[in-house]
Amino acid sequence: MSLYIIFLFKRTGLLGNFQSHILAYASKRFAYSYLMYKARNLLAAIDYQKHKDRTQKVTDGKPVTPLVGGEDDPRRLASTIRTTQPPPTAELVKRHQRRF
């Protein structure tokens, strides 16, 4: 493989960005007819072309990133849902009650 081909085709960020734009208009969760899917793709392409050169909002010299929901938004949870350590196994065995 020549160095020219590697250099030419190594950047895929713009393609991934456009693909996520398409997914906003034509989600994979739903089945669309061919004409509906084509229309949604064209709408995504128009929207992408309109916003691709838009500059990012800057406040106090720092780019502004949109916040994800409020404080109780589930997308803001820690990497694990349980924030406290589980009790030791010996304590769980001691507290266990039998049904019979």
Side-chain angles (χ1 to χ4, degrees):
M1 189 177 294
S2 72
L3 186 61
Y4 174 75
I5 291 175
I6 293 172
F7 179 74
L8 189 62
F9 296 108
K10 71 179 181 179
R11 295 180 182 92
T12 60
L14 291 176
L15 184 60
N17 190 3
F18 178 63
Q19 182 63 31
S20 69
H21 224 83
I22 288 176
L23 290 176
Y25 285 91
S27 174
K28 291 181 178 181
R29 293 181 175 197
F30 306 104
Y32 302 104
S33 67
Y34 175 74
L35 291 176
M36 182 60 71
Y37 185 74
K38 188 174 178 180
R40 286 174 174 266
N41 273 318
L42 290 174
L43 184 60
I46 292 169
D47 190 46
Y48 178 79
Q49 288 294 332
K50 179 175 173 44
H51 295 293
K52 71 176 179 137
D53 296 325
R54 187 174 64 178
T55 58
Q56 187 173 4
K57 184 178 178 182
V58 176
T59 303
D60 298 330
K62 296 181 182 177
V64 176
T65 57
L67 293 176
V68 179
E71 291 296 322
D72 58 345
D73 191 347
R75 291 174 287 184
R76 298 189 78 169
L77 288 177
S79 59
T80 58
I81 293 184
R82 186 179 185 109
T83 56
T84 59
Q85 291 294 326
T89 305
E91 184 180 328
L92 290 174
V93 169
K94 198 184 299 184
R95 288 191 323 203
H96 178 71
Q97 296 178 355
R98 296 177 185 241
R99 291 189 295 167
F100 301 108

